[in-house]
Amino acid sequence: MRHGENAVNLIQRVKARLDELRPSLPSGVEVVPTYDRSGLIQRAIDTLKHELAIEMLIVSLVILLFLWHIPSAIVPILTIPVSVLLAFIPLNYLGVTVNIMSIAGIAISIGVLVDGAIVEVENAYNKIHLWQAGGRKGDFHEIRLEALKEVGPSVFFSLLVIAVAFLPIFALVDQEGRLFKPLAYSKTLAMALAAMLAVTLDPAMRMLFARVDPFTFRPRWLSWLVTRVAVGTYYAEEKHPISRTIFRVYEPVCRFVLRHPSLS
């Protein structure tokens, strides 16, 4: 097989050619495959796709649990599939096929893809809460825009730093280069796209989904439900349901360490 050729496509073409030649074979002559790795390759790719889907689901649930605010959680949750899908466009132009290593590169970057979006929505969340607690002084749209502009550049460059971390792998040659370059391509491109989304799509979605006024249409139960989902409640950090539990565990340990520095 030539370097860069897709093994599954090549095997399928070989099978198709054998089917064309089968009628012309002499009587009693049959071509019997002794080794066909297309099934193994497909099962391995299917396993990685399945694990990738589960990983995306788990990350989404963790984001939703710790943010405890559906409109804010939507931004990083949507960033995951968008970054992954967009990464396949340059991979296709670079001739990198969907294989075990390229999918693995995306799989190991899933958790990092949403870091920028989480930082942005968390900062916007806190700014909106302080704006509400301070009597809603100033324009709401300006408050959330300033919150996004405050952390946007830092998020962008931090994700780019992570993206360039795999660049030394491109210096590998021979068998090592052929093995690991698809992984480096997919991870680097996914992280670079996540950095771009952190200053384009993520702020736009945060501006789109952020709302502070409740819905008032009828029936009231439906407006209450839509308000809970689409508006949510902005908690202070110390009153956040998840944070309170974490503080109860973390604070005694932290205070003990501060009182007894010699023991720690």
Side-chain angles (χ1 to χ4, degrees):
M1 185 176 70
R2 294 179 179 177
H3 173 61
E5 182 63 64
N6 187 297
V8 176
N9 292 341
L10 177 62
I11 294 171
Q12 290 176 348
R13 292 199 300 270
V14 170
K15 289 180 178 180
R17 184 58 178 165
L18 289 176
D19 291 337
E20 293 176 3
L21 294 175
R22 188 168 286 110
S24 62
L25 294 175
S27 178
V29 176
E30 183 179 357
V31 178
V32 179
T34 58
Y35 178 64
D36 183 359
R37 61 173 181 165
S38 60
L40 173 64
I41 296 173
Q42 194 59 51
R43 287 194 301 272
I45 293 176
D46 290 341
T47 299
L48 273 174
K49 288 180 180 178
H50 179 261
E51 296 303 318
L52 183 60
I54 293 178
E55 187 177 5
M56 291 171 62
L57 178 61
I58 292 174
V59 170
S60 300
L61 291 176
V62 170
I63 292 170
L64 190 59
L65 176 65
F66 280 91
L67 286 180
W68 206 258
H69 189 247
I70 295 177
S72 297
I74 287 175
V75 178
I77 288 174
L78 290 180
T79 301
I80 300 174
V82 172
S83 300
V84 171
L85 292 175
L86 288 178
F88 286 108
I89 298 175
L91 285 176
N92 180 60
Y93 282 105
L94 290 171
V96 179
T97 60
V98 178
N99 53 50
I100 295 175
M101 297 304 290
S102 61
I103 295 179
I106 292 176
I108 63 178
S109 63
I110 287 292
V112 189
L113 289 178
V114 296
D115 283 357
I118 291 175
V119 171
E120 289 181 342
V121 300
E122 180 70 15
N123 190 57
Y125 181 99
N126 290 330
K127 293 290 185 180
I128 293 173
H129 164 70
L130 293 175
W131 174 76
Q132 286 183 324
R136 298 194 172 194
K137 297 178 182 179
D139 182 58
F140 167 65
H141 301 284
E142 289 295 329
I143 295 296
R144 60 182 179 178
L145 181 60
E146 285 298 322
L148 295 170
K149 290 166 64 176
E150 183 178 351
V151 296
S154 301
V155 168
F156 175 75
F157 288 109
S158 65
L159 290 175
L160 281 186
V161 169
I162 300 174
V164 301
F166 269 53
L167 291 183
I169 294 181
F170 293 108
L172 296 175
V173 295
D174 300 330
Q175 184 175 352
E176 295 83 1
R178 290 193 295 270
L179 178 63
F180 289 106
K181 280 182 180 179
L183 183 147
Y185 272 121
S186 59
K187 178 173 173 57
T188 301
L189 290 171
M191 293 305 307
L193 286 167
M196 294 298 297
L197 293 177
V199 293
T200 54
L201 179 65
D202 294 347
M205 287 196 298
R206 190 67 188 100
M207 294 289 287
L208 178 65
F209 292 120
R211 181 185 172 95
V212 291
D213 297 322
F215 292 93
T216 57
F217 58 84
R218 292 181 180 275
R220 291 185 178 179
W221 66 268
L222 183 58
S223 66
W224 176 86
L225 181 61
V226 173
T227 299
R228 297 293 294 177
V229 174
V231 179
T233 303
Y234 291 88
Y235 295 96
E237 186 176 0
E238 61 274 9
K239 295 182 180 179
H240 191 285
I242 302 299
S243 299
R244 284 186 300 177
T245 304
I246 295 175
F247 289 161
R248 281 199 294 267
V249 176
Y250 171 76
E251 187 174 354
V253 178
C254 183
R255 292 186 180 279
F256 176 81
V257 172
L258 292 175
R259 290 196 199 99
H260 307 88
S262 58
L263 297 177
S264 59

